[in-house]
Amino acid sequence: MKLSKLALAGMLAAASVAGSMTAAAPASAASYGGECGAGYAVVNSAAVGGDATMFLTYNNGWNCLVVVRNTQGSATFMGAYLKKSSVESFTKDEGYFTRYAGPVYVLATDSCVDWRGRVDSTVASKYGTNCG
């Protein structure tokens, strides 16, 4: 009888430890949903804090950027910004959106691009990427 009580106690302790080690699932990252249109494929992406993911896509010399929230919600300030690295000003789409900002397009054949995503005060930027 002692052995079975010890075995039961051990199993309960192991189950308790395993249960306490279970963590809450992380917020799921956004996925690209074809917002740039037919023929555009994702060539790069980056997180915008924990709130969104920015997706850089490409099609026949054209780059396109969208910033997609991880979870749809009430309208919040968002922005998608894209430019050739060799120019000063960004092509942008900004405002209050429930799901995504963009798409914004730049023809950047034989050039690198700079891209930026914003959700509220959180900003993520990439410079001089995807050259060619």
Side-chain angles (χ1 to χ4, degrees), residues 7-35:
L8 179 58
M11 290 188 312
L12 288 174
S16 173
V17 169
S20 67
M21 292 174 60
T22 304
S28 60
S31 60
Y32 176 69
E35 293 87 356

Side-chain angles (χ1 to χ4, degrees), residues 75-131:
T76 191
F77 190 81
M78 299 177 67
Y81 311 86
L82 178 63
K83 72 181 189 76
K84 288 171 64 168
S85 297
S86 61
V87 301
E88 283 196 32
S89 60
F90 281 92
T91 300
K92 64 184 178 179
D93 180 39
E94 57 184 17
Y96 288 85
F97 304 109
T98 59
R99 184 71 181 133
Y100 66 89
V104 291
Y105 301 90
V106 168
L107 181 60
T109 308
D110 298 323
S111 299
C112 300
V113 292
D114 299 346
W115 39 299
R116 178 178 299 157
R118 178 178 176 182
V119 178
D120 288 327
S121 61
T122 302
V123 178
S125 301
K126 299 291 179 181
Y127 300 101
T129 72
N130 300 82
C131 306

Side-chain angles (χ1 to χ4, degrees), residues 1-14:
M1 187 77 155
K2 265 189 175 181
L3 183 58
S4 62
K5 282 185 180 179
L6 286 174
L8 179 58
M11 290 188 312
L12 288 174

